[in-house]
Amino acid sequence: MNQQFVFAPAPAVGLPVNGQEAAFPVRRVYCVGRNYAAHAREMGFDPDREPPFFFCKPNDAASIVPVPAGATVELPYPPRTGNYHYEIELVVAIGKGGRDIAPEDAAQHIFGYAVGLDMTRRDLQMRMREAGRPWEIGKAFDYSAPIGPITPLSASGPIDAGAIALTVDGKTVQSSDVTHLIWNISETIAQLSTLFELQPGDLIMTGTPEGVGAVVRGQTMHGSVAGLTPISVKVV
């Protein structure tokens, strides 16, 4: 018997997949906090190899913004903030679920990779942090996760190194390399899978390098990770 609902459930958000007509259905969005040492320092923390910490973004169409290849997508400036920050990130798409995954087996669970932005209402995040409260209003708001097309692992191979960068109106503001991750992709998947049973459709935003800063209406961001489809987003 089919389940009946009092109103129609929201459809799954689909991200484009390079070389395929079918979209990647998003199940959950996990984010790794302070996973580049230089970014940890600019946020006022001493980087070390303590266990990584995670937070989540919503998985609905109000929050995830698919950015098609070659397009510049408009991103609404969010309410209740005067300090709207960019954070360029390598996004890992999970294609095979699992729990307590060993680091050496993590690549078997990867469907592919994409370029994403963890947009942040920094003033609200800092206010919550100082009060010892959750970050949701700073991180999990509408249109907070622009994400580009997914490149399948079969096309990219494992991404353990490569330039990651962001420009704002043509000026480079973030520039680093995936090798500078404190916890690499395999370690991150392994750690996360001890806390949640990962499932196909999960996304992991793996952290941002140093150079985060504010954008205002009218500015355009171009984000890239070597070997992946770049993204272009304009704040309106």
Side-chain angles (χ1 to χ4, degrees), residues 31-36 39 42-43 55 57 75 84-91 115-122 125-126 135 138-139 144-146 164-166 168 173-174 205-215 221 223 231:
C31 305
V32 189
R34 297 195 296 267
N35 203 21
Y36 284 80
H39 173 58
E42 77 177 352
M43 297 302 293
F55 58 94
K57 287 181 179 283
L75 195 67
Y84 182 44
H85 276 211
Y86 51 77
E87 296 190 6
I88 187 66
E89 309 217 359
L90 169 64
V91 181
V115 180
L117 282 165
D118 170 17
M119 300 304 297
T120 302
R121 295 192 283 203
R122 189 72 71 198
Q125 181 199 16
M126 292 298 98
W135 288 2
K139 289 285 191 178
S144 62
I164 178 171
L166 183 78
V168 177
V173 291
Q174 289 188 273
M205 303 187 78
T206 59
T208 194
E210 71 277 14
V212 300
V215 283
M221 298 170 283
I231 61 173

Side-chain angles (χ1 to χ4, degrees), residues 91-112:
V91 181
V92 177
I94 298 297
K96 174 186 174 183
R99 186 192 298 275
D100 297 322
I101 299 167
E104 58 269 24
D105 297 329
Q108 301 173 21
H109 296 262
I110 297 173
F111 174 83

Side-chain angles (χ1 to χ4, degrees), residues 15-195:
L15 292 176
V17 177
N18 287 328
Q20 299 185 22
E21 292 187 6
F24 180 89
V26 178
R27 175 180 176 267
R28 291 183 180 173
V29 183
Y30 299 101
C31 305
V32 189
R34 297 195 296 267
N35 203 21
Y36 284 80
H39 173 58
R41 293 189 189 97
E42 77 177 352
M43 297 302 293
F45 295 90
D46 293 325
D48 54 35
R49 288 270 294 181
E50 67 179 0
F53 70 91
F54 302 93
F55 58 94
C56 292
K57 287 181 179 283
N59 66 344
D60 58 12
S63 303
I64 298 171
V65 183
V67 183
T72 296
V73 169
E74 292 187 344
L75 195 67
Y77 194 96
R80 302 285 296 274
T81 184
N83 199 19
Y84 182 44
H85 276 211
Y86 51 77
E87 296 190 6
I88 187 66
E89 309 217 359
L90 169 64
V91 181
V92 177
I94 298 297
K96 174 186 174 183
R99 186 192 298 275
D100 297 322
I101 299 167
E104 58 269 24
D105 297 329
Q108 301 173 21
H109 296 262
I110 297 173
F111 174 83
Y113 304 90
V115 180
L117 282 165
D118 170 17
M119 300 304 297
T120 302
R121 295 192 283 203
R122 189 72 71 198
D123 44 0
L124 300 186
Q125 181 199 16
M126 292 298 98
R127 195 177 304 161
M128 294 300 101
R129 191 181 85 181
E130 291 164 5
R133 295 173 180 171
W135 288 2
E136 271 81 0
I137 63 171
K139 289 285 191 178
F141 53 93
D142 291 350
Y143 311 109
S144 62
I147 299 174
I150 296 172
T151 298
L153 177 66
S154 58
S156 67
I159 297 182
D160 300 314
I164 178 171
L166 183 78
T167 67
V168 177
D169 290 345
K171 178 182 177 182
T172 299
V173 291
Q174 289 188 273
S175 181
S176 188
D177 195 282
V178 174
T179 56
H180 294 157
L181 284 166
I182 296 173
W183 293 91
N184 66 32
I185 303 304
S186 294
E187 293 169 331
T188 296
I189 291 171
Q191 288 278 349
L192 185 59
S193 73
T194 68
L195 298 168

Side-chain angles (χ1 to χ4, degrees), residues 194-207:
T194 68
L195 298 168
F196 304 92
E197 182 173 359
L198 298 179
Q199 296 290 346
D202 289 343
L203 298 176
I204 305 173
M205 303 187 78
T206 59

